[in-house]
Amino acid sequence: MSAQVIAIDAMGGDFGPRSIVQASLACLSATPSLYLTLVGHPLLLEELIASQPGADRSRLQIVAASEVIGMDERPSQALRGKPDSSMRVALELLRDGKVQACVSAGNTGALMALSRHVLKTLPGIDRPAMVAAIPTQAGTCQLLDLGANVDCSADNLFQFAVMGSVAAQALGVVRPRVALLNVGTEDIKGNQQVKLAASLLQGAKGLNYIGFIEGDGLYRGEADVVVCDGFVGNILLKSSEGLATMISARIEALFRHTLMSRAVGALALPLLKRLQADLAPARHNGASFLGLQGIVVKSHGAAGVQGFQSAISRALAEIQENLPQRLHGRLEELLL
Amino acid sequence: MSAQVIAIDAMGGDFGPRSIVQASLACLSATPSLYLTLVGHPLLLEELIASQPGADRSRLQIVAASEVIGMDERPSQALRGKPDSSMRVALELLRDGKVQACVSAGNTGALMALSRHVLKTLPGIDRPAMVAAIPTQAGTCQLLDLGANVDCSADNLFQFAVMGSVAAQALGVVRPRVALLNVGTEDIKGNQQVKLAASLLQGAKGLNYIGFIEGDGLYRGEADVVVCDGFVGNILLKSSEGLATMISARIEALFRHTLMSRAVGALALPLLKRLQADLAPARHNGASFLGLQGIVVKSHGAAGVQGFQSAISRALAEIQENLPQRLHGRLEELLL
């Protein structure tokens, strides 16, 4: 297997550089073909690496960046005001072919704006979308957009559908069923963008468009790809995460209630915790930006060490799948 | 206690008149002060009543309506094309003061359009909103709009916030915390409508506006009233319902896995089922239309007998609370 080189925006995220450095070192230990380039304040990063016992520096490089983009900074400010931010420098390494993917836990809006500016989108794509696999009764479903685009036109939704379908195919789904998330399944339901996107998708050749899907149908596993605007996708994802947490808490309380159930609770809780983790994919697995000329994976801001490791693994998988090239090929057939 | 009279659109809903008649008779048995007026095809309704053993007809009246609005009919068609629909006739009884509330399991869009047309909105309200209580880690939260308005202006969202606050107060919350559902809690996050609604709410006197809330914050119970457009609210509600069902199914499977866990499963499942029911409030409890000159409760189309009974109970409670009058008074203070 050939080597993979990934640039890490080492300064972003709610937990900051410490957990990112820790996750990076863990990934290097686990994957002998992996090379990482940490981007950020060199002194700080050196110090954090030195503090990790037994850190292997041989496949780890540091590239200096003097600025950091805050979690609540405006994307426009990140774009214009900070030419030497860790996020931007990491993306420039990707653009210049020095790495094959970029991973960041930083400000989503800034990552979106900078990715578009530095890497550009694939031909036929106006705006990249954020996608992650969410669990359903039948397996998983690729949900997009998850928050990169709060306002979407019908054209955007159409392009998301095409990208989601290609991504699902790359992940092994033979004829991905693509659906538009809506408030009902009848033709008359929904807002203008959704209705117009439906008519675009009905006319698209080579796409297995199955129509509208509702929120419950998504979790029943009625589609392999579910398309919505980033406002709706973000609310769906985060409320699902919150609901799963609430249910876990209630079940824990239930099992603490009686002595007998406490014994079984000990048995069931690890499984419930795993379920909960499954239900928070963006936090635990990272989400991809689709539609860019390059692989960019966004780790959840509050992901912690394990979450960031998963995001690096996802970037690795996309390098091996050669996802942007595959997308490019299919988009040419479908869109141009 | 004085009598309550409620009109029932007996022809709507996925399960049709049979379960509506059954639910109506059950409510009459349970509440001696209740009078019901079933609206629909008299012969069919008489037959269904006769088929229920021991049905008490003394507080049950039938009013004839020759037309039925289909579940996938356009609201405009329901409004213009069917002057004698069961839904419309029931709303006209309410308008004319012959009943104190109206309950329907029919087409949501049609019920919204007909309610506005027949009853009119309260002064200061452009569009009514659908609200239901959803469970949180801290208790419950009034979520609106749940699907009556797929496109909302900042003014609509502002009015929903005011109405939700008043409804929560009527339900006993002393100083309801009102939040706007958004993709982040920072000021720069969200679409134009949400940002503008936030600035309107920041300036509103007598309203305990606490800012933006995310999907996970909602389930953590960080607000008593959560406001969003009907597209987002509907997706949130139905996906939550679907997720809760999926989790229940997985837990059931978990408990069937081993002999020991099967024994405890029998203990835990009733509690899990109750949890699941809690998580589908629109299905189980009915949702209110707020902002009309009259009480209208929408039962879930697929509610079944118990769900429809709950919707009737909700209408009863709103009659006792005198909700439209209370709303009217507060709206005058806050909006005019």
Side-chain angles (χ1 to χ4, degrees):
Chain A
M1 194 165 68
S2 59
Q4 298 91 31
V5 196
I6 298 175
I8 306 290
D9 167 16
M11 308 303 288
D14 298 337
F15 292 152
R18 184 174 297 276
S19 51
I20 294 175
V21 166
Q22 216 177 316
S24 299
L25 291 169
C27 283
L28 285 172
S29 303
T31 312
S33 60
L34 177 65
Y35 288 72
L36 293 180
T37 303
L38 300 183
V39 184
H41 293 317
L43 287 180
L44 173 66
L45 294 177
E46 288 291 1
E47 201 174 295
L48 289 171
I49 293 165
S51 76
Q52 296 289 319
D56 175 9
R57 280 295 307 263
S58 64
R59 288 176 281 123
L60 185 63
Q61 201 195 339
I62 291 177
V63 167
S66 61
E67 294 168 313
V68 176
I69 293 168
M71 290 306 272
D72 53 358
E73 218 163 297
R74 277 173 200 279
S76 56
Q77 199 176 332
L79 199 58
R80 285 182 221 111
K82 292 196 170 165
D84 199 37
S85 70
S86 57
M87 192 186 276
R88 185 179 198 128
V89 172
L91 289 166
E92 286 170 348
L93 291 173
L94 178 57
R95 177 197 63 196
D96 298 341
K98 293 185 179 140
V99 301
Q100 296 159 278
C102 173
V103 177
S104 174
N107 183 324
T108 308
L111 185 59
M112 167 80 169
L114 278 170
S115 296
R116 285 180 69 191
H117 180 74
V118 173
L119 300 173
K120 312 299 178 205
T121 53
L122 290 168
I125 298 297
D126 296 322
R127 294 179 65 85
M130 241 169 110
V131 65
I134 71 161
T136 69
Q137 290 205 26
T140 60
C141 150
Q142 304 293 318
L143 180 65
L144 74 170
D145 175 47
L146 294 178
N149 310 279
V150 290
D151 285 303
C152 289
S153 66
D155 281 327
N156 293 144
L157 295 174
F158 175 72
Q159 292 164 17
F160 296 170
V162 173
M163 295 196 289
S165 175
V166 176
Q169 276 178 312
L171 294 167
V173 184
V174 178
R175 223 174 104 71
R177 295 160 300 165
V178 179
L180 274 173
L181 193 60
N182 199 357
V183 298
T185 52
E186 304 89 359
D187 284 349
I188 58 154
K189 291 290 175 71
N191 55 31
Q192 281 310 312
Q193 305 91 280
V194 164
K195 285 185 207 169
L196 192 52
S199 65
L200 293 174
L201 285 165
Q202 273 150 5
K205 288 206 174 62
L207 205 71
N208 184 14
Y209 173 65
I210 60 165
F212 293 140
I213 194 169
E214 296 186 75
D216 47 350
L218 182 153
Y219 279 110
R220 275 197 300 272
E222 290 169 3
D224 303 301
V225 177
V226 172
V227 176
C228 59
D229 72 46
F231 195 98
V232 171
N234 180 283
I235 300 289
L236 194 159
L237 195 71
K238 288 193 183 146
S239 61
S240 293
E241 209 178 300
L243 175 58
T245 305
M246 181 181 99
I247 294 179
S248 297
R250 289 203 183 182
I251 293 172
E252 277 192 50
L254 200 73
F255 282 125
R256 276 201 215 93
H257 201 62
T258 68
L259 245 170
M260 187 210 167
S261 62
R262 229 181 294 173
V264 190
L267 193 119
L269 279 183
L271 283 145
L272 296 173
K273 284 288 171 201
R274 206 185 60 201
L275 187 73
Q276 196 180 334
D278 277 354
L279 297 171
R283 185 182 295 272
H284 294 274
N285 304 327
S288 298
F289 276 17
L290 287 180
L292 292 166
Q293 302 197 17
I295 295 165
V296 178
V297 176
K298 166 78 175 72
S299 175
H300 197 291
V305 176
Q306 264 204 318
F308 204 87
Q309 270 182 262
S310 302
I312 295 176
S313 302
R314 181 162 186 137
L316 259 171
E318 293 192 12
I319 293 172
Q320 280 152 6
E321 297 275 354
N322 206 357
L323 195 61
Q325 283 308 104
R326 289 182 70 152
L327 260 174
H328 183 50
R330 283 288 287 152
L331 288 169
E332 279 197 324
E333 289 167 38
L334 279 165
L335 289 175
L336 304 179
Chain B
M1 194 165 66
S2 58
Q4 299 92 29
V5 196
I6 298 176
I8 307 290
D9 167 14
M11 308 303 288
D14 298 336
F15 292 152
R18 183 174 299 274
S19 52
I20 295 175
V21 166
Q22 216 178 318
S24 299
L25 291 169
C27 283
L28 285 172
S29 302
T31 312
S33 60
L34 177 64
Y35 288 72
L36 293 181
T37 303
L38 299 184
V39 184
H41 293 316
L43 287 180
L44 172 67
L45 295 176
E46 288 292 1
E47 201 175 293
L48 289 170
I49 294 165
S51 76
Q52 297 289 320
D56 175 9
R57 282 293 310 263
S58 64
R59 286 175 284 121
L60 184 62
Q61 201 194 341
I62 291 177
V63 167
S66 61
E67 293 167 316
V68 176
I69 293 169
M71 290 306 271
D72 54 359
E73 217 162 302
R74 281 176 197 277
S76 56
Q77 199 177 333
L79 200 57
R80 285 181 222 113
K82 293 196 170 165
D84 198 38
S85 70
S86 57
M87 192 185 276
R88 184 178 199 131
V89 172
L91 290 165
E92 286 171 348
L93 291 172
L94 178 56
R95 176 198 64 196
D96 299 340
K98 294 186 177 137
V99 301
Q100 294 158 280
C102 173
V103 177
S104 173
N107 183 323
T108 308
L111 185 59
M112 167 80 168
L114 277 170
S115 296
R116 287 179 68 192
H117 179 75
V118 173
L119 299 173
K120 311 299 178 205
T121 54
L122 290 168
I125 297 299
D126 296 321
R127 294 179 64 83
M130 238 170 109
V131 65
I134 70 162
T136 70
Q137 289 204 28
T140 59
C141 151
Q142 303 292 318
L143 179 66
L144 73 167
D145 174 47
L146 294 178
N149 309 279
V150 290
D151 286 303
C152 288
S153 67
D155 280 328
N156 293 145
L157 294 174
F158 175 72
Q159 291 164 16
F160 296 170
V162 173
M163 293 196 291
S165 175
V166 176
Q169 277 179 311
L171 295 168
V173 184
V174 177
R175 224 174 102 73
R177 298 160 299 165
V178 178
L180 273 174
L181 192 60
N182 200 357
V183 297
T185 53
E186 305 89 359
D187 283 349
I188 58 153
K189 291 291 175 72
N191 55 31
Q192 281 310 312
Q193 304 91 281
V194 164
K195 286 185 206 170
L196 191 53
S199 67
L200 293 174
L201 286 166
Q202 273 151 5
K205 288 206 173 65
L207 205 68
N208 185 14
Y209 174 65
I210 60 165
F212 293 140
I213 194 169
E214 295 186 74
D216 46 350
L218 180 154
Y219 278 111
R220 276 197 299 273
E222 290 169 3
D224 303 301
V225 178
V226 172
V227 176
C228 58
D229 71 44
F231 195 98
V232 171
N234 180 284
I235 300 288
L236 194 158
L237 195 71
K238 288 193 184 146
S239 61
S240 293
E241 209 178 300
L243 176 59
T245 304
M246 182 181 97
I247 295 178
S248 298
R250 289 204 182 181
I251 293 172
E252 278 192 49
L254 200 74
F255 281 125
R256 276 200 214 93
H257 201 62
T258 68
L259 245 169
M260 187 211 167
S261 62
R262 229 181 293 173
V264 188
L267 194 118
L269 280 183
L271 284 145
L272 295 174
K273 287 285 171 200
R274 204 187 60 204
L275 187 71
Q276 195 180 334
D278 277 354
L279 296 171
R283 186 183 293 273
H284 294 274
N285 304 328
S288 297
F289 277 16
L290 288 179
L292 292 166
Q293 301 197 18
I295 295 165
V296 177
V297 176
K298 166 76 173 75
S299 175
H300 196 293
V305 176
Q306 263 202 320
F308 203 89
Q309 270 182 264
S310 302
I312 295 175
S313 302
R314 182 165 183 133
L316 259 171
E318 293 192 11
I319 293 171
Q320 279 152 6
E321 296 277 353
N322 207 355
L323 195 60
Q325 283 307 104
R326 288 181 71 153
L327 260 173
H328 182 52
R330 283 288 286 153
L331 288 169
E332 279 198 325
E333 288 167 39
L334 279 164
L335 291 174
L336 304 179

